[in-house]
Amino acid sequence: MAYSKRCIVTGAAGFIGSALARLLLKETDATVLVVDKLTYAGVPESLKEVGLDPATLASSNPRLAFLKADICDAAAMDRAFAEFRPDTIFHLAAESHVDRSIDGPGEFIRTNVTGTATLLQAARTYWQGLDDAAKAAFRFQHISTDEVYGTLGATGFFTEKTPYSPHSPYSASKAASDHLVRAWHDTYGLPTLITNCSNNYGPYHFPEKLIPLIILNCLDGKPLPVYGKGANVRDWLYVDDHARALLLVNEKGVPGETYNVGGHNERTNLDVVKTVCAILDELRPRGGTDGGSGAGTDGGSGAPAPRPRYEDLIQFVADRPGHDLRYAIDPSKLMNELGWQPRENFETGIRKTVEWYLANDWWWKPIHEKRYAGQRLGKA
Ligand SMILES: NC(=O)c1ccc[n+]([C@@H]2O[C@H](COP(=O)([O-])OP(=O)(O)OC[C@H]3O[C@@H](n4cnc5c(N)ncnc54)[C@H](O)[C@@H]3O)[C@@H](O)[C@H]2O)c1
């Protein structure tokens, strides 16, 4: 692809940022500077396949460099802009887990709000020093969530014009950051782009989030916690489809505009959990492929007992406080104006995801053992 910009990608040791960095390095000629603080959610191993040494953060890829820094550190951000001289910045660094925002909102305000403001100021200072052509071509792209719009009832979709109505400390902090980005566009003329995306899933997803948590709990034979009755609806997008949308918006989006990203894949949480269970029943049956320990004989009849299914591990637990009922994205602006189409639907994407976790325990096992073992968060 004829895309050869110099890109700062903040938060690229995280789930979506690493997918974007892998896309930029594998399928374009872009040069990437990752800026990431490496919080509990930062996993440099996610960039190993594009040349990063996770132990030293040195890169064998001449188009990739890693700067371990906090986006709230104004001097470090000024230096990063001055030395790397980017054509664009994709801003994904954030505290991203709703349940953790319930337990400790302070870090969400610091990184998501103050950190975004700090980056905007660093970008503005750098941008003002560019010549006219470079100034016009520069983009500050802010990656946000559909959660800023609040909750839907049984029908309807979020459009770019839906009023903001965030309910969790996470979504409120993201809403604040979106407003800051718009303010820097409207006040200073900084060429900004905002994308609001639905729930992502896919490889390299930190195991605190629903889908990887369910996969790993299944493999451990642990209960599968489902909040409330599992009736909350989310609109799921495969992470690589999100990364492609971000690249497209960066190339073709109109400065000052917002684009919603979603692929019309609404599922209740219970459906999602049952789908993961069914794929694992097929690919890694409980009790092993030969019938194993789980499948004994049925009483005196001699007939084999039914094989235990992963679904039997589902446990309904107390709901998340302030849990939004339904999110669903209307992506027609992105599709009609910029020509985006997702490549995966939920069925194809979720199968790829389960297969990836089965094949890549080198990535998730150390996280599971040392950083997060599946405990309940965010009960307030
Ligand atoms: N995950 C989703 O479903 C989803 C959907 C829509 C939008 N988003 C948004 O996309 C972005 C990325 O989400 P994700 O799921 O990849 O998050 P993530 O939690 O997997 O990764 C976040 C990354 O940011 C880094 N980081 C955190 N605080 C930092 C700081 N102060 N300075 C520098 N780096 C810091 C972390 O180390 C980590 O590598 C976020 O802005 C999030 O709001 C996420």
Side-chain angles (χ1 to χ4, degrees):
M1 183 188 285
Y3 180 97
S4 53
K5 290 187 187 181
R6 295 177 66 74
C7 308
I8 289 182
V9 184
T10 71
F15 170 47
I16 302 169
S18 69
L20 175 65
R22 291 190 302 271
L23 174 71
L24 289 168
L25 292 162
K26 285 182 181 176
E27 296 187 25
T28 79
D29 296 323
T31 300
V32 174
L33 174 67
V34 173
V35 174
D36 199 296
K37 182 184 170 184
L38 294 182
T39 67
Y40 81 92
V43 189
E45 285 77 4
S46 306
L47 295 170
K48 206 171 153 187
E49 59 176 281
V50 283
L52 189 77
D53 177 343
T56 61
L57 303 180
S59 169
S60 59
N61 185 334
R63 294 195 291 119
L64 171 67
F66 196 105
L67 173 65
K68 185 176 176 206
D70 187 332
I71 59 165
C72 298
D73 180 343
M77 293 307 105
D78 283 339
R79 253 195 328 273
F81 276 95
E83 287 171 11
F84 182 70
R85 304 203 62 74
D87 303 310
T88 191
I89 172 166
F90 294 89
H91 173 37
L92 295 99
E95 288 292 336
S96 71
H97 190 38
V98 176
D99 286 341
R100 285 186 198 261
S101 82
I102 296 169
D103 291 336
E107 208 48 33
F108 285 70
I109 310 304
R110 202 185 79 86
T111 285
N112 300 0
V113 184
T114 308
T116 300
T118 307
L119 266 184
L120 282 163
Q121 276 298 73
R124 180 183 154 222
T125 306
Y126 163 76
W127 172 75
Q128 280 173 334
L130 296 175
D131 64 36
D132 286 350
K135 234 178 176 170
F138 184 81
R139 298 287 180 269
F140 185 108
Q141 186 165 343
H142 177 61
I143 285 66
S144 192
T145 165
D146 61 354
E147 301 192 25
V148 298
Y149 298 124
T151 186
L152 291 164
T155 58
F157 296 95
F158 296 134
T159 74
E160 290 78 2
K161 295 197 164 48
T162 302
Y164 277 28
S165 178
H167 295 130
S168 71
Y170 164 67
S171 54
S173 70
K174 291 299 291 188
S177 64
D178 292 8
H179 289 316
L180 289 171
V181 174
R182 286 197 184 94
W184 259 247
H185 172 267
D186 296 350
T187 307
Y188 306 111
L190 187 71
T192 61
L193 295 159
I194 298 179
T195 50
N196 294 88
C197 187
S198 60
N199 278 47
N200 283 215
Y201 68 100
Y204 299 104
H205 204 182
F206 197 84
E208 66 192 354
K209 306 282 169 53
L210 178 68
I211 289 175
L213 178 76
I214 295 301
I215 297 171
L216 301 196
N217 278 16
C218 282
L219 296 179
D220 283 351
K222 284 190 190 159
L224 311 179
V226 173
Y227 292 174
K229 295 190 167 69
N232 301 67
V233 174
R234 299 292 179 262
D235 188 353
W236 293 93
L237 186 69
Y238 192 67
V239 67
D240 291 348
D241 280 324
H242 186 190
R244 284 179 207 289
L246 296 179
L247 180 55
L248 184 66
V249 169
N250 191 265
E251 286 184 286
K252 297 195 179 155
V254 177
E257 290 292 314
T258 293
Y259 298 88
N260 280 355
V261 190
H264 285 306
N265 281 293
E266 288 179 51
R267 296 287 184 283
T268 66
N269 287 346
L270 189 57
D271 277 347
V272 168
V273 172
K274 286 186 171 177
T275 304
V276 169
C277 288
I279 296 171
L280 280 170
D281 281 335
E282 181 195 325
L283 300 180
R284 184 73 63 88
R286 280 181 80 187
T289 39
D290 57 352
S293 58
T297 53
D298 185 8
S301 72
R307 176 185 292 287
R309 294 179 318 154
Y310 286 105
E311 212 181 289
D312 303 334
L313 296 170
I314 290 175
Q315 233 175 52
F316 294 96
V317 299
D319 207 351
R320 169 190 277 167
H323 204 177
D324 289 334
L325 176 66
R326 176 170 166 262
Y327 302 143
I329 283 273
D330 174 357
S332 44
K333 180 175 175 183
L334 180 65
M335 288 178 166
N336 298 339
E337 292 183 15
L338 305 190
W340 177 78
Q341 282 292 335
R343 295 184 180 179
E344 306 293 340
N345 60 37
F346 187 69
E347 280 62 42
T348 59
I350 193 72
R351 180 169 285 272
K352 277 190 176 180
T353 304
V354 173
E355 286 170 351
W356 186 86
Y357 277 87
L358 289 177
N360 288 284
D361 63 358
W362 70 270
W363 183 86
W364 56 259
K365 263 206 171 130
I367 298 174
H368 203 44
E369 283 164 12
K370 293 190 199 126
R371 290 198 218 180
Y372 176 71
Q375 64 276 21
R376 174 82 197 256
L377 301 166
K379 282 198 285 197

